Amino acid sequence: MLAVERGAALNTLESYRRDLDDFSGFLATLGTDASKATSDDISAYLSDLAGRGFAATTQARRLSALRQFYKFLYGENMRGDDPTGPIAAPKARKSLPGTLSEAEVDRLIEAARFNASLDGESVARQLRAHRLYTMLELLYATGLRVSELVSLPISATRSGADMIIVRGKGNKERMVPLSDRASAAMRDYTALRAAAGSYSGSPWLFPSFGETGHFTRQAFARDLKALAAGVGIQAKKVSPHVLRHAFASHLLQNGADLRIVQQLLGHADISTTQIYTHVLDERLRKLVDEHHPLARKRG
């Protein structure tokens, strides 16, 4: 059915085969087989997977294979029930996003600003340095996704703009405020670009000669890691996504509301933004320690 009706690839078929073989092997230890397995048997299998050290994501994938299997048996009247129905998928624990301290972000931005201010460089090198500095200022000021950043249109630099319109996931638009430094960096970069006569017909703020017509996220990540290494920050700690996390974390640490951060990040659901609640918890703990009368007495 998977091969003929759904056109599943060979790797997919082999994955289903391995999962079902492993399930059958487990059932054999219980003295039963897949045609007779109950919901309790499936729960026991998931517990066995956990005991063998399989991650929650792997357990969920195995359960998905079993759901498809029993859905097929039920649809073909080979079973009168679906034993996977009552089983909830194991939930993967959300890991806290990596981030950088405010001091580390300052070092990155200042290094990029310094490189952009150097005289005596070739026009091409000046443009590359200004591009990296502008992208850093923009990313930390707005928390854009890297895909949103690299595909910003040249119209984002219109004179006097203190907000930019960003087209994010699902083609949804949102307004994002700009800092004075980010606005100034964009103006300086586009002025330098215009003076050099580079990419005069490009609709992109950060153009390139590549297939997309604009600078790629991979190239930005590469330049960012090289900059980090130059200021003594481990390259593996730094990426465009980490800077987006730093934007959100630092806003919350300094008193921003979670709902506002959700809007700025372009999260459709507040549950996505709630990965940052560890920042709020720490802020609340400090608030109580500093202002609760009993906490002061303990000090």
Side-chain angles (χ1 to χ4, degrees), residues 53-108:
F54 285 94
T57 50
T58 303
Q59 296 172 46
R61 198 202 74 235
R62 295 278 179 97
L63 178 59
S64 176
L66 295 181
R67 289 196 199 283
Q68 295 299 318
F69 176 63
Y70 284 109
K71 182 180 178 181
F72 171 77
L73 294 186
Y74 181 77
E76 296 293 320
N77 295 318
M78 298 172 71
R79 275 193 67 135
D81 67 330
D82 177 0
T84 64
I87 309 297
K91 292 184 178 179
R93 178 184 293 178
K94 287 186 176 179
S95 59
L96 297 178
T99 190
L100 295 169
S101 68
E102 292 183 35
E104 287 174 322
V105 174
D106 282 344
R107 280 161 60 193
L108 282 173

Side-chain angles (χ1 to χ4, degrees), residues 15-283:
S15 178
Y16 270 92
R17 186 190 307 279
R18 286 193 299 270
D19 290 349
L20 293 175
D21 281 346
D22 188 69
F23 178 57
S24 295
F26 172 79
L27 292 177
T29 66
L30 302 181
T32 187
D33 59 46
S35 65
K36 304 186 186 87
T38 65
S39 296
D40 287 342
D41 293 332
I42 294 171
S43 292
Y45 175 60
L46 294 176
S47 296
D48 179 70
L49 289 176
R52 285 190 269 160
F54 285 94
T57 50
T58 303
Q59 296 172 46
R61 198 202 74 235
R62 295 278 179 97
L63 178 59
S64 176
L66 295 181
R67 289 196 199 283
Q68 295 299 318
F69 176 63
Y70 284 109
K71 182 180 178 181
F72 171 77
L73 294 186
Y74 181 77
E76 296 293 320
N77 295 318
M78 298 172 71
R79 275 193 67 135
D81 67 330
D82 177 0
T84 64
I87 309 297
K91 292 184 178 179
R93 178 184 293 178
K94 287 186 176 179
S95 59
L96 297 178
T99 190
L100 295 169
S101 68
E102 292 183 35
E104 287 174 322
V105 174
D106 282 344
R107 280 161 60 193
L108 282 173
I109 293 178
E110 284 306 304
R113 186 190 63 78
F114 174 78
N115 291 340
S117 68
L118 290 175
D119 294 326
E121 300 286 345
S122 67
V123 173
R125 288 177 67 89
Q126 282 185 317
L127 276 173
R128 287 197 297 271
H130 272 272
R131 178 180 62 197
L132 180 58
Y133 171 58
T134 303
M135 294 180 82
L136 259 175
E137 284 282 13
L138 271 171
L139 182 53
Y140 187 55
T142 62
L144 296 182
R145 298 178 178 91
V146 64
S147 57
E148 297 167 343
L149 175 67
V150 298
S151 61
L152 280 173
I154 190 67
S155 58
T157 62
R158 65 186 184 277
S159 179
D162 56 4
M163 303 277 285
I164 55 173
I165 298 175
V166 178
R167 192 178 298 276
K169 285 186 176 180
N171 213 30
K172 293 180 180 178
E173 291 185 343
R174 68 184 188 278
M175 296 286 288
V176 179
L178 284 177
S179 67
D180 291 341
R181 282 174 46 156
S183 294
M186 281 199 303
R187 287 194 302 270
D188 291 344
Y189 166 68
T190 51
L192 181 64
R193 212 181 85 184
S198 302
Y199 304 102
S200 58
S202 175
W204 308 110
L205 178 56
F206 304 111
S208 79
F209 291 116
E211 184 179 346
T212 61
H214 58 68
F215 200 52
T216 65
R217 55 191 178 82
Q218 294 90 345
F220 177 43
R222 176 201 63 210
D223 291 353
L224 196 54
K225 287 181 180 296
L227 181 70
V231 294
I233 300 174
Q234 288 185 320
K236 65 181 181 181
K237 282 186 62 178
V238 181
S239 72
H241 201 54
V242 166
L243 277 168
R244 175 171 154 90
H245 288 319
F247 162 83
S249 296
H250 298 169
L251 275 180
L252 290 167
Q253 286 168 2
N254 288 286
D257 180 84
L258 191 66
R259 287 280 181 186
I260 299 299
V261 175
Q262 175 197 354
Q263 294 173 21
L264 293 173
L265 292 175
H267 288 163
D269 196 308
I270 189 67
S271 63
T272 308
T273 320
Q274 283 172 340
I275 195 168
Y276 295 104
T277 51
H278 68 290
V279 178
L280 292 178
D281 290 344
E282 177 64 17
R283 201 176 83 201

